[in-house]
Amino acid sequence: MSNPENKPDRLNLGRGIIIFLVSISILIGATWSVASFARILFLSHEEINPIIAGGDLDDLPALMRGNISTVTTSMVRGEPVRVKPPRMCEMSPTYFDNLDKGLKQPVGYTRRNEYVSPYRARRGFLNEREMQAARVAWLYFETYTQEETGLANAVGNYPSTTMWDTASYIAATVAAYELCIIEKPELDQRLFQLLATMKTLDLFRKELPNKVYHTRTAAKVDYANKPGEIGFSGLDLGRMLIWLRIIKNRYPYLGNSVDAILLKWDFRNVIGEQGLIYGARINSETNETIYDQEGRLGYEEYAAKGYALWGFKPILAHRAEPFLTASIYGIQVPYDGRDPRIFHSQNYVVTESYLQDGLELGFDMVHDDSSPDWLRSDGWRGEFADRIYNVQENRWRQTGFMTARSEHNVKGAPYFTYDTIFSDGYPWNTVTPRGDYVPDHAAISSKAALGMWALWDTDYTNILYEAIIELYNPEKGMFEGLYERGQGRVEIFTANNNGIILTALLHKVQGKILTPYTGDAEVWYTAFRDQNIRERRHYPDPPQEDDWLPALRHSIQNKEDF
């Protein structure tokens, strides 16, 4: 039991502690007041940098980043935005009379690393022969599009397709409408059905579209068209992204449907930290997903632009390096410098990847919404494309072989060949996907010939045009090409061939097919801002000037002449 005599001592001790604490508080308060006053007095003599909304010091919350506009050349340079051309049947008869072709511009690189080519694209209304070719090419898609899904077969009657070939179908549909072969109700019916099917596709391991789908069921299949999944192709998806951006920009009412597709996709494994493109495959023993770098010079940079159009940063994929050149008929032909024995991927040089860049994107940077058609703002791409054209014309002039080389399907085994300008150390090398040499499959590719005719207005491309403009079956579409050694037509019909032919004919009428985006905010950039989905799936912010891919130039590299 405690002693009651100790109680007054405890009370006195408590009062002392309280008085001490109050004194300390008063002292601290006085010191803080003096320090604050001194700080204010000192800062009044400092230079203050105010934070401006949208400026360098503005740490804008992620919730608001999607509302920032994508920055383009017209915004930075104060140049007029390119205007979407009218449909061909809505153009005035004098539409092409005052078309600026930049004929007096000096050839070569500009100080911004843009490129002015000595050649100009062919522009004007389609004549009757060209319209007939366009109608027949479109007939392929009328014949081989599946009613149930809206997907088109990649090759004739075979009910299978890839994202690459589906993009070719989108391209064909846009061209058919803009060339007035079909009207808006059919355009809408086809695209809305296709986009709805794409939104419901079962993705490869919940990431991205499988490499192959059955066109009647829209189910994932393997290369034998049997149920299953085999991975995704980063290159195929890059092409698809280009055409989804084209239809979103041209037809804004499709924007929400397009965005809804992409907002189901998970991009975390397709673009690496350094900006390279990756594809996926399955390890047959462990069933694990393996991600491999995908793409070589030509296709890699083309696909990179597809990702950049949606705000991704495929920095290294867009660069030509590492590249070498082979001197063929006096032209320094660029090819990928990565050794196929080490990297296990061939460096085929073909025409198609350069054609698609020129027809669809105008050899321009993706942020360029204001330069004229004759100026190639992605300078080295435009210059390399001229080399790819020149070497084929030079071969014809020196050997007599008409040359328009690209990969193409063939009837029967091996079913597909890479008909190259250069590969495996050899010029004019025609090989199977397995690497077997098959010179009898060398051909004048219809899509390459007409694409070159559209982009290079020359006497040589007039000869190519005459070779293929009536190379069709009036009930099935344009043939794949003409065999170089005189065996006749390549008697097979594909979505890619007919789609690119329609694209080339549309380019003659309208020029660069990608048109600028006309809206402000996009659902693609604003969706899921209040969740962590954007970070998990690596969805980007609207690109600003600092995010632009660099415009580059390249010098000629001399190698042994072939």
Side-chain angles (χ1 to χ4, degrees), residues 1-18:
M1 184 176 178
S2 63
N3 186 354
E5 292 181 353
N6 293 335
K7 187 173 182 181
D9 294 334
R10 288 198 296 269
L11 288 175
N12 291 333
L13 178 61
R15 291 192 191 99
I17 291 172
I18 292 171

Side-chain angles (χ1 to χ4, degrees), residues 323-328 331-333 335 422 556-562:
F323 79 96
L324 300 171
T325 60
S327 182
I328 307 172
I331 303 298
Q332 301 300 322
V333 176
Y335 67 94
F422 183 84
I556 291 175
Q557 300 183 17
N558 292 311
K559 294 289 174 185
E560 292 295 325
D561 192 82
F562 286 88

Side-chain angles (χ1 to χ4, degrees), residues 152-459:
N153 296 351
V155 182
N157 285 314
Y158 194 62
S160 175
T161 193
T162 66
M163 288 295 102
W164 187 281
D165 296 296
T166 302
S168 292
Y169 171 42
I170 295 174
T173 307
V174 170
Y177 173 67
E178 296 293 338
L179 296 174
C180 307
I181 297 171
I182 63 174
E183 295 303 320
K184 191 170 181 297
E186 185 171 354
L187 172 81
D188 290 351
Q189 184 273 323
R190 286 179 176 273
L191 290 183
F192 275 125
Q193 184 185 17
L194 176 64
L195 296 175
T197 294
M198 289 183 64
K199 186 177 185 297
T200 62
L201 289 178
D202 189 11
L203 303 177
F204 170 75
R205 298 191 170 178
K206 301 187 184 303
E207 287 190 55
L208 292 164
N210 193 50
K211 288 182 179 179
V212 192
Y213 285 91
H214 197 293
T215 53
R216 291 193 190 126
T217 64
K220 289 182 293 189
V221 291
D222 59 19
Y223 287 124
N225 222 25
K226 303 297 182 185
E229 58 181 7
I230 52 178
F232 64 75
S233 167
L235 294 185
D236 286 14
L237 293 172
R239 174 160 168 73
M240 174 57 73
L241 288 170
I242 288 171
W243 277 98
L244 289 177
R245 174 54 73 178
I246 286 173
I247 62 173
K248 179 177 177 177
N249 288 10
R250 278 179 170 259
Y251 316 118
Y253 61 91
L254 295 175
N256 286 359
S257 297
V258 170
D259 289 343
I261 294 169
L262 300 186
L263 288 167
K264 284 190 64 180
W265 295 3
D266 187 335
F267 292 87
R268 78 182 79 180
N269 293 313
V270 72
I271 299 288
E273 290 183 4
Q274 295 180 320
L276 291 171
I277 298 172
Y278 288 83
R281 60 185 172 90
I282 297 174
N283 185 306
S284 58
E285 295 180 359
T286 66
N287 202 39
E288 293 178 336
T289 305
I290 299 174
Y291 300 98
D292 299 311
Q293 185 275 325
E294 200 171 86
R296 290 296 178 263
L297 183 64
Y299 284 114
E300 183 178 13
E301 297 76 21
Y302 167 72
K305 290 186 180 181
Y307 292 95
L309 280 168
W310 293 91
F312 296 99
K313 299 177 184 178
I315 304 297
L316 288 186
H318 179 256
R319 296 180 69 94
E321 290 82 6
F323 79 96
L324 300 171
T325 60
S327 182
I328 307 172
Y329 294 119
I331 303 298
Q332 301 300 322
V333 176
Y335 67 94
D336 198 288
R338 286 166 280 197
D339 190 334
R341 295 170 300 179
I342 298 172
F343 293 95
H344 307 293
S345 184
Q346 294 298 321
N347 44 22
Y348 307 115
V349 179
V350 293
T351 311
E352 184 174 329
S353 62
Y354 292 96
L355 287 185
Q356 289 165 325
D357 196 333
L359 297 171
E360 298 162 14
L361 307 175
F363 300 117
D364 283 338
M365 306 300 292
V366 300
H367 54 262
D368 178 5
D369 64 346
S370 59
S371 69
D373 271 356
W374 50 263
L375 185 66
R376 303 174 179 182
S377 60
D378 196 0
W380 74 267
R381 286 288 285 176
E383 188 229 327
F384 279 18
D386 278 354
R387 299 192 207 179
I388 296 300
Y389 166 74
N390 283 326
V391 72
Q392 296 183 85
E393 178 179 341
N394 286 5
R395 180 179 185 243
W396 169 72
R397 292 192 180 280
Q398 295 191 38
T399 68
F401 280 107
M402 278 189 292
T403 306
R405 290 275 180 128
S406 203
E407 70 273 28
H408 59 260
N409 290 76
V410 293
K411 194 170 185 178
Y415 302 105
F416 187 86
T417 60
Y418 290 100
D419 199 13
T420 73
I421 295 166
F422 183 84
S423 66
D424 298 334
Y426 296 96
W428 318 113
N429 194 14
T430 305
V431 294
T432 69
R434 232 175 37 168
D436 299 328
Y437 180 47
V438 285
D440 285 345
H441 289 309
I444 304 159
S445 163
S446 295
K447 61 189 174 185
L450 203 63
M452 290 163 67
W453 170 83
L455 290 174
W456 288 275
D457 186 354
T458 66
D459 291 340

Side-chain angles (χ1 to χ4, degrees), residues 485-558:
R485 299 190 175 191
Q487 308 97 302
R489 302 172 301 201
V490 183
E491 293 192 353
I492 198 164
F493 307 94
T494 67
N496 197 42
N497 181 56
N498 284 279
I500 292 176
I501 284 171
L502 278 161
T503 304
L505 293 169
L506 176 59
H507 188 279
K508 184 193 175 188
V509 176
Q510 293 190 344
K512 174 180 172 180
I513 294 173
L514 177 69
T515 56
Y517 183 68
T518 55
D520 294 317
E522 301 184 47
V523 175
W524 165 246
Y525 290 122
T526 60
F528 305 130
R529 285 280 165 189
D530 56 342
Q531 303 173 42
N532 66 353
I533 292 177
R534 294 195 70 85
E535 290 185 5
R536 283 195 290 107
R537 296 182 181 173
H538 286 205
Y539 296 156
D541 290 327
Q544 306 302 290
E545 187 175 2
D546 289 343
D547 301 320
W548 289 359
L549 297 175
L552 304 171
R553 71 174 74 191
H554 288 296
S555 60
I556 291 175
Q557 300 183 17
N558 292 311

